[in-house]
Structure formats: structure tokens, C-alpha cells
Amino acid sequence: MQTNATYTSLVAVGDSFTEGMSDRLPDGSYRGWADLLAARMAARTPGFRYANLAVRGKLIGQIVAEQVDVAVAMQPDVITLVGGLNDTLRPKCDMVRVRSLLEEAVERLAPACKQLVLMRSPGRQGPVLERFRPRMEELFTCVDDLASRHGALVVDLYGAQSLGDPRMWDVDRLHLTGEGHRRVAEAVWQALGHAAEDTEWRTPMAPSAPPGWAARRTADVRFARQYLLPWIGRRLTGRSSGDGRLPKRPELLPYEEYRGPVE
């Protein structure tokens, strides 16, 4: 890892995690860790360029088919790739295919940039994580192996206790809050060799009194009605939340604070 490295461009590839859900801005658009990271990098490098190709709901095959060649053509200094987790959350998941596609993505992206960044994605504590933990850990083992073979950095968010705290996750229980995204940006910033701005990003939040039974049940009902049932409906009909959606920053252009359309 190069200490105090100077990078002039960044391209982010992936799904909703990299798109920025659920770090919602006042105008209703999403920001997220990749935008926060780009802002920091731009502040120290005049003319810094940034593209974010990530789209919510994308499976690793879609990421490879729709984003990888675009990122390769841009030839940026840094590419971040986070993908495959949506696949592991499907009832039926061919992990052999997922690993193969992830390997294909890394083999194509690594030579196209100065530094490829991969991640072990964070996991929210709770029964959902426990159910899918074996698949997730199989995916992360693949990430570690690919990184060692292709000189990529791995940012270990899965091992960060702070990011497992349910308070770091939005009410949909699938996406980080703004504070969670801020900590991810800090983790990647440090992994790229920059001096820490927050040395405590891994530190868990202070304990708080757990919500009462009624509050938990109310939250469960809201979660099921607003998020779980629509998610199941999309799975049953073969639809995705990202169908027809374009990347929010599809071109590698000089950085500016993103202000996209209201969601």
C-alpha cells in the first residue's frame, strides 16, 4: 500500500451499497460512502474525476455485463468493486457461478487501474445474517483470494463490530445509515494510504437501552409491509429495484457534489 498516495480519478462499481442507499440527502437523492470518499479525494487533488456506475439490486452477473467494461474503458487510478452479496441473499444461489463471475470482474478490472479495491461487506447483526452467513463468508474467502492474486486491497467491513450494530442500518435492514456510510468512507480512505481522519471508525456505538416489546413489534410490522413483502414480490416475479435505472454518475468527470433527481 502506498502511503499518502495521490490518485486523480475514482470509478465505483457495484450495487445499492455503492450507489449509496440509504444515505439520503435532503432533496431525496442518495449520497453514500463512494461519494463521501470522492469528496475527500477531490479536496486534495485538483481536477479529480469521479464516476459511480453502481445500481441498486444488481447481481454479480449484471455488474459484470453492464459495468465492468465501462469502468475498464475509463482507465481510472482507483476502481472499487463490491458485488455478489445480492446473489447470496437469493433463496437459490449458485456460489460456483458467483465466484466465477467475481473472478472475471477482478481479472478485467485489476489491469485497468492503478489500484483495485475490494471489500468484505458489512453484515447487520440478527437472524438474517446468521441464515446467510455461510454464503457470505464463502464470498469473502473468494474476495481475499482474488485480492492476493491480483494486488487488490481488501477493506474488511465484515470484521468491524461497529458496522454490525443494528443502529447503523436503515429501517429496511439492508442498507447502512448515513453514519454507517461515513465509517465505510473512512475505512476505504485509510486503506488507500491516507492519514486517518477518524481513528475510531471501528469503535462500536455507546450502548443504549433496547426498545420495548411494543416498539419492536411496530418496527417489525413496518419493515414487513414496506420492505420485506415488496422484496419477496420482486423475487417471485423476477423483477429488481434497479430495473430501468441508470447510474447516477455514468461518466468520469471532474468531481462535484452530486445532486441527482429526487428518488
Side-chain angles (χ1 to χ4, degrees), residues 143-155:
V143 166
D144 290 342
D145 176 62
L146 290 171
S148 66
R149 289 196 279 126
H150 295 277
L153 295 175
V154 177
V155 182

Side-chain angles (χ1 to χ4, degrees), residues 5-198:
T6 297
Y7 297 111
T8 64
S9 53
L10 166 67
V11 174
V13 174
D15 52 33
S16 59
F17 175 68
T18 301
E19 183 185 344
M21 296 174 71
S22 289
D23 183 14
R24 190 180 292 272
L25 293 168
D27 66 0
S29 61
Y30 291 116
R31 182 176 52 182
W33 66 266
D35 285 12
L36 292 169
L37 176 66
R40 287 195 192 184
M41 298 174 79
R44 63 180 292 156
T45 306
F48 183 84
R49 297 176 299 150
Y50 171 51
N52 190 322
L53 308 178
V55 176
R56 68 194 69 172
K58 294 300 182 181
L59 302 174
I60 187 62
Q62 294 170 310
I63 292 171
V64 171
E66 299 168 13
Q67 300 178 31
V68 167
D69 282 347
V70 178
V72 167
M74 291 176 175
Q75 296 285 301
D77 284 352
V78 178
I79 297 176
T80 64
L81 167 64
V82 187
L85 201 61
N86 282 335
D87 297 79
T88 69
L89 298 178
R90 295 292 178 108
K92 295 182 179 179
C93 174
D94 182 349
M95 287 303 298
V96 173
R97 181 173 183 273
V98 171
R99 294 196 308 269
S100 176
L101 286 165
L102 185 60
E103 181 174 14
E104 179 183 346
V106 169
E107 288 178 345
R108 289 158 63 182
L109 291 171
C113 62
K114 292 181 180 179
Q115 184 62 67
L116 178 63
V117 179
L118 308 177
M119 295 189 198
R120 294 162 57 91
S121 304
R124 183 183 186 274
Q125 296 170 2
V128 173
L129 175 63
E130 292 309 313
R131 178 181 178 185
F132 295 104
R133 186 187 295 275
R135 290 180 184 173
M136 293 172 62
E137 293 187 346
E138 182 177 348
L139 178 69
F140 299 154
T141 297
C142 180
V143 166
D144 290 342
D145 176 62
L146 290 171
S148 66
R149 289 196 279 126
H150 295 277
L153 295 175
V154 177
V155 182
D156 184 15
L157 305 174
Y158 181 68
Q161 184 179 355
S162 62
L163 293 176
D165 190 320
R167 292 171 294 176
M168 288 285 181
W169 296 76
D170 193 45
V171 293
D172 68 0
R173 306 181 184 182
L174 286 174
H175 301 106
L176 291 171
T177 62
E179 173 61 16
H181 280 282
R182 185 196 67 79
R183 294 191 185 213
V184 173
E186 177 67 32
V188 184
W189 173 259
Q190 292 182 28
L192 286 171
H194 299 303
E197 295 187 12
D198 175 11

